[in-house]
């Protein structure tokens, strides 16, 4: 493990009401309100907000923000490539792949002899929609802990997808309606279906189309997909339809042939949540690190000190203390308990 050489990062990287603020660079990371200069880790709405004067992000994140908020989502946008450092005032800033969704990044800050990595949201398992998480050694690792409890162990994705495909064989006259978040989960479920050999067109609720087209335009292989418009219930028998989680229970789904309702989320591990979402077929597919991945990642980056931004902080604090690391909960405001991306 490394020792901090100069000023301790606590003295220059501060928790404010709107998020983490890097003083010697005069910028915020994923601020929850408009600021002069923001570094954005990824396009989910609890991290990427419109109205900053200057945004630094990957090209993919900027493209996602433009789809969601319009081309004028920020005053100016500075595009950063993974692994290529950018100097902001006195701080060297490098974006690194986070493996969470298309364009998602960790932020490496180097200042006064210290290296701090802000993970953003991340996961460690393979995902054909984005570049895998790149663990880099640091003095302070700032991690999320959405699933920071030992009960959260996500099963292998392919097992969850095979349960879906088995159900489809069991009920050939029904359609399968899967609640998925529009950014990331939707496209990931599509690639998982393709990896499992499913080659039928995948039908989408209109709210999922724009971001899915963006993924396809960025070279992610999703196979044939289209919106439902014009299709009859008869034509949708045996098909797989994706919709936002909120549409699972609404009137929109009544036109479908006896849909088997499913939902893809890390929260589907919790039966009460699955019931509350109206998911007969809960699929535990998450874009966040599970308990084992969180602990493994701390090992991999080998940081003597870990700060936890949000999530189930207590479990992780306890485990880190046992492993002899200094750990601290930041309890950032504005990171929803139920994120749009879990
Ligand atoms: Zn996210
Ligand atoms: Zn998040």
């Amino acid at each position: 493990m490394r020792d901090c050489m100069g000023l301790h990062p606590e003295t220059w990287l501060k928790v404010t009401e709107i998020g983490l603020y890097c003083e010697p660079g005069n910028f915020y990371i994923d601020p929850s309100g408009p600021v002069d200069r923001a570094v954005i880790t990824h396009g989910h709405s609890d991290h990427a907000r419109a109205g900053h004067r200057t945004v630094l992000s990957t090209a993919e994140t900027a493209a996602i923000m433009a789809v969601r908020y319009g081309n004028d989502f920020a005053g100016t946008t500075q595009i950063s490539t993974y692994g290529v450092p950018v100097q902001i005032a006195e701080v060297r800033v490098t974006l690194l792949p986070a493996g969470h969704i298309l364009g998602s990044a960790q932020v490496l800050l180097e200042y006064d002899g210290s290296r701090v990595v802000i993970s953003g949201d991340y996961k460690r398992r393979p995902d054909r929609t984005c570049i895998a998480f790149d663990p880099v050694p640091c003095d302070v690792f700032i991690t999320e802990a959405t699933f920071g409890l030992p009960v959260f162990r996500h099963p292998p994705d392919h097992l969850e997808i095979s349960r879906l495909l088995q159900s489809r064989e069991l009920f050939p006259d029904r359609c399968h309606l899967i609640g998925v978040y529009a950014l990331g989960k939707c496209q990931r479920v599509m690639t998982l279906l393709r990896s499992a050999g499913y080659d039928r067109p995948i039908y989408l609720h209109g709210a999922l189309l724009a971001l899915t087209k963006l993924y396809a335009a960025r070279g992610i292989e999703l196979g044939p997909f289209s919106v439902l418009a014009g299709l009859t219930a008869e034509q949708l028998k045996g098909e797989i339809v994706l919709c936002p989680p909120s549409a699972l229970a609404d009137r929109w789904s009544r036109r479908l042939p006896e849909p088997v309702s499913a939902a893809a989320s890390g929260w589907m591990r919790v039966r009460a949540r699955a019931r509350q979402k109206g998911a007969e077929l809960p699929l535990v597919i998450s874009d966040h690190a599970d308990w084992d991945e969180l602990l493994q990642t701390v090992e991999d980056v080998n940081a003597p000190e870990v700060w936890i931004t949000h999530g189930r902080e207590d479990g992780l604090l306890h485990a880190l203390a046992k492993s002899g690391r200094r750990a601290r909960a930041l309890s950032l405001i504005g990171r929803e308990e139920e994120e749009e991306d879990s």
Side-chain angles (χ1 to χ4, degrees):
M1 289 188 213
R2 298 158 51 99
D3 279 319
C4 296
M5 310 294 287
L7 287 171
H8 192 278
E10 255 168 13
T11 63
W12 54 268
L13 185 58
K14 297 188 169 160
V15 177
T16 74
E17 266 177 11
I18 54 171
L20 277 174
Y21 174 63
C22 176
E23 217 165 55
N26 190 25
F27 60 83
Y28 290 81
I29 297 102
D30 292 349
S32 60
V35 298
D36 262 6
R37 189 181 269 278
V39 175
I40 304 296
T41 61
H42 67 287
H44 282 137
S45 57
D46 55 329
H47 300 260
R49 291 170 212 252
H52 305 307
R53 208 164 62 87
T54 305
V55 160
L56 177 84
S57 74
T58 62
E60 291 82 0
T61 296
I64 289 165
M65 290 176 82
V67 165
R68 301 194 120 179
Y69 305 126
N71 284 326
D72 56 352
F73 67 86
T76 57
T77 311
Q78 186 181 358
I79 298 304
S80 176
T81 306
Y82 291 132
V84 179
V86 173
Q87 193 73 28
I88 305 182
E90 299 166 57
V91 184
R92 216 157 91 116
V93 181
T94 312
L95 300 185
L96 303 161
H100 175 58
I101 62 166
L102 181 68
S104 63
Q106 314 172 65
V107 184
L108 166 64
L109 304 179
E110 292 172 281
Y111 174 67
D112 199 32
S114 295
R115 289 160 62 86
V116 177
V117 170
I118 298 147
S119 72
D121 292 340
Y122 67 99
K123 70 172 173 299
R124 301 301 303 273
R125 54 192 69 197
D127 177 350
R128 282 171 50 192
T129 70
C130 59
I131 300 173
F133 182 95
D134 181 13
V136 300
C138 53
D139 304 298
V140 175
F141 183 59
I142 306 184
T143 182
E144 56 133 326
T146 303
F147 293 112
L149 282 175
V151 296
F152 291 113
R153 289 196 159 95
H154 308 322
D157 306 316
H158 68 92
L159 291 184
E160 298 301 284
I161 291 294
S162 66
R163 289 200 299 119
L164 169 64
L165 294 176
Q166 280 160 16
S167 172
R168 182 175 164 268
E169 291 198 346
L170 211 55
F171 303 109
D173 288 337
R174 301 174 69 179
C175 86
H176 282 71
L177 179 62
I178 312 169
V180 289
Y181 298 100
L183 173 56
K185 192 61 60 64
C186 169
Q187 300 78 24
R188 174 134 173 266
V189 167
M190 293 171 80
T191 60
L192 288 170
L193 282 164
R194 299 311 183 201
S195 296
Y198 186 75
D199 56 8
R200 301 276 315 145
I202 296 172
Y203 294 97
L204 302 179
H205 183 286
L208 305 178
L209 188 62
L211 287 164
T212 302
K213 279 185 170 167
L214 171 72
Y215 268 61
R218 292 257 158 197
I220 309 299
E221 302 271 353
L222 302 172
F225 60 88
S226 82
V227 288
L228 291 174
L231 291 171
T232 63
E234 189 59 32
Q235 287 169 312
L236 288 168
K237 283 183 176 176
E239 302 293 358
I240 292 177
V241 180
L242 306 184
C243 69
S246 59
L248 274 183
D250 76 18
R251 285 184 45 187
W252 173 86
S253 65
R254 285 190 210 157
R255 66 159 116 169
L256 303 173
E258 289 184 79
V260 175
S261 60
S265 158
W267 296 114
M268 290 300 110
R269 183 54 110 201
V270 183
R271 284 195 184 281
R273 292 239 196 179
R275 232 176 291 124
Q276 179 202 341
K277 295 275 173 204
E280 293 169 66
L281 183 64
L283 303 171
V284 186
I285 298 175
S286 177
D287 284 327
H288 289 267
D290 69 2
W291 175 249
D292 294 319
E293 290 170 63
L294 288 171
L295 297 181
Q296 183 62 50
T297 304
V298 170
E299 289 292 319
D300 290 347
V301 301
N302 199 21
E305 184 163 338
V306 178
W307 301 355
I308 306 166
T309 53
H310 65 293
R312 269 117 295 266
E313 300 164 332
D314 292 347
L316 192 54
L317 280 175
H318 184 72
L320 292 171
K322 270 206 318 203
S323 76
R325 294 173 206 277
R326 216 182 136 204
R328 171 183 169 210
L330 304 181
S331 309
L332 292 190
I333 307 161
R335 298 276 184 274
E336 268 58 66
E337 134 92 353
E338 178 110 0
E339 294 189 71
E340 67 163 340
D341 56 1
S342 31

